[in-house]
Amino acid sequence: MSTPSQVPLPTEEQAYIDNVVGGWTGRPGALLGILEAVQERNPHKYLSLETLRYIAMKTRTPLSRLYSVATFYALFNLQPQGENTVCICRGTACHTRGSRNLLQSVRLDLGLAVEDSDSDGNDADKLLLTTPDQKFTVRTVACFGQCAMAPVVEVNHRICGHATERTVQREIETIRAGE
Ligand code: FES
């Protein structure tokens, strides 16, 4: 069981979380709102274990529950993210419309080469890869809830429906060009 003395978060981050938790007290959806606000402020857009511990303590929520919420919702990250995120749906509708090829294409484009060991047979697994320069993170989700637009890719939180290798490539080129 964690105790306050085990939490090594910087004072400034603790103060921010205290403020967010205070603002959400008694409101519906508080837990999701708090996690979202705290993750958004993190420069690498993720929730560290220390952060989850602190939120658990402040909201009097079991850490296991927070962890379940953070792992259930695709929105939340438990590892540092690149500056840009390309998220590819691996749900059934998207899979049957070619999301696997999209994923391979994006990985090749970003230099996240496909290894023999993960080139097939693990389509149901969640994937999270970040380029060595921390510019891009590629991840997968089980379903965006936008199956009618399959295959669906989300680039920096913008949904791209009926995605093709070319359209996703263009999205990445546009981001690179803007750097
Ligand atoms: S299966 Fe891809 S959005 Fe639902």
Side-chain angles (χ1 to χ4, degrees):
M1 196 167 195
S2 65
T3 65
S5 61
Q6 288 176 312
V7 179
L9 279 190
T11 313
E12 186 190 310
E13 195 170 342
Q14 290 187 21
Y16 178 77
I17 293 172
D18 292 351
N19 196 32
V20 170
V21 170
W24 276 96
T25 301
R27 291 169 58 191
L31 218 46
L32 292 178
I34 292 166
L35 292 176
E36 191 175 354
V38 173
Q39 175 175 282
E40 189 52 36
R41 184 175 181 267
N42 184 286
H44 299 290
K45 305 287 182 258
Y46 83 113
L47 297 163
S48 69
L49 182 57
E50 293 74 23
T51 300
L52 288 178
R53 275 206 185 106
Y54 189 78
I55 295 172
M57 181 184 71
K58 297 306 285 189
T59 58
R60 299 173 198 272
T61 306
L63 180 59
S64 58
R65 173 143 183 257
L66 275 189
Y67 190 78
S68 299
V69 170
T71 49
F72 180 79
Y73 289 96
L75 164 70
F76 299 120
N77 311 306
L78 298 178
Q79 293 176 43
Q81 302 295 292
E83 290 166 30
N84 303 284
T85 304
V86 180
C87 193
I88 296 174
C89 179
R90 274 181 161 180
T92 306
C94 290
H95 180 79
T96 55
R97 290 179 178 256
S99 66
R100 186 169 181 274
N101 286 345
L102 282 178
L103 176 61
Q104 312 285 53
S105 161
V106 168
R107 287 180 67 171
L108 288 171
D109 201 22
L110 294 177
L112 298 166
V114 181
E115 305 288 336
D116 283 348
S117 58
D118 61 4
S119 62
D120 54 38
N122 288 321
D123 281 353
D125 291 348
K126 263 193 184 176
L127 182 91
L128 182 81
L129 297 166
T130 298
T131 54
D133 62 3
Q134 306 281 312
K135 293 283 182 201
F136 287 91
T137 288
V138 176
R139 56 198 303 229
T140 57
V141 293
C143 179
F144 281 116
Q146 307 276 354
C147 311
M149 298 199 297
V152 180
V153 175
E154 190 190 68
V155 181
N156 286 343
H157 303 298
R158 195 168 58 79
I159 290 283
C160 307
H162 308 297
T164 65
E165 290 179 31
R166 188 66 201 116
T167 56
V168 179
Q169 248 167 20
R170 267 205 293 265
E171 293 286 340
I172 292 172
E173 280 165 13
T174 303
I175 291 170
R176 281 179 168 146
E179 285 173 355

